Amino acid sequence: MANRERPLSPHLQVYRWQIQMVTSILHRATGIILSVGALLIAWALVSLAAGPEAWAQFTACARSPLGFLILFGWTWAFAYHLINGIRHLVQDAGYAYKVDTFVRNGWISVIGSLVLTALIWIVAMMSRGGA
């Protein structure tokens, strides 16, 4: 008889978290965030086309603390999805499959996305006197 103390199929509590798991989960999550964020871009474009009053309402929402948090999070999702997507393209070409390289590139995706997000927001805040 099988040992009944162990689960019949693997579960998350069985696995030790690794960067490979994190990058896979984040890539899927950021894809969803970017899809939802596309609605915000559509809202901005419609507000811009609707005239100054609609645009003022949009910018007031975007400049609120919650709006800032949403825009910052969307920017990070974009940066992460971009960098991790490039990593996937390199792997699709048949490179970077050694375990140490795979782990290093996973960390580059995570840390690089944070750095890219910070750079984007620094440039945005420095231009035209702030966001």
Side-chain angles (χ1 to χ4, degrees):
M1 286 243 80
N3 184 0
R4 294 288 179 191
E5 294 176 14
R6 294 176 45 162
L8 297 177
S9 62
H11 294 85
L12 283 177
Q13 64 264 33
V14 174
Y15 293 113
R16 194 181 92 230
W17 280 88
Q18 298 177 359
I19 189 66
Q20 298 92 324
M21 293 170 67
V22 173
T23 57
S24 177
I25 292 167
L26 283 178
H27 194 75
R28 293 163 198 249
T30 55
I32 293 167
I33 291 168
L34 291 175
S35 297
V36 172
L39 297 172
L40 294 175
I41 293 171
W43 178 29
L45 293 174
V46 168
S47 297
L48 189 59
E53 295 160 4
W55 179 247
Q57 289 177 348
F58 173 79
T59 56
C61 182
R63 290 181 179 182
S64 71
L66 179 60
F68 178 80
L69 183 65
I70 289 170
L71 288 173
F72 189 85
W74 190 86
T75 306
W76 172 79
F78 177 78
Y80 177 80
H81 206 77
L82 174 70
I83 293 172
N84 202 50
I86 292 169
R87 181 179 71 89
H88 275 281
L89 286 174
V90 169
Q91 289 177 333
D92 288 344
Y95 300 104
Y97 275 108
K98 289 184 179 178
V99 174
D100 58 336
T101 307
F102 197 88
V103 170
R104 183 192 70 219
N105 291 344
W107 282 108
I108 288 172
S109 295
V110 172
I111 295 169
S113 67
L114 295 171
V115 170
L116 183 58
T117 302
L119 288 174
I120 289 169
W121 278 90
I122 288 170
V123 169
M125 292 295 195
M126 290 177 68
S127 66
R128 296 187 185 173

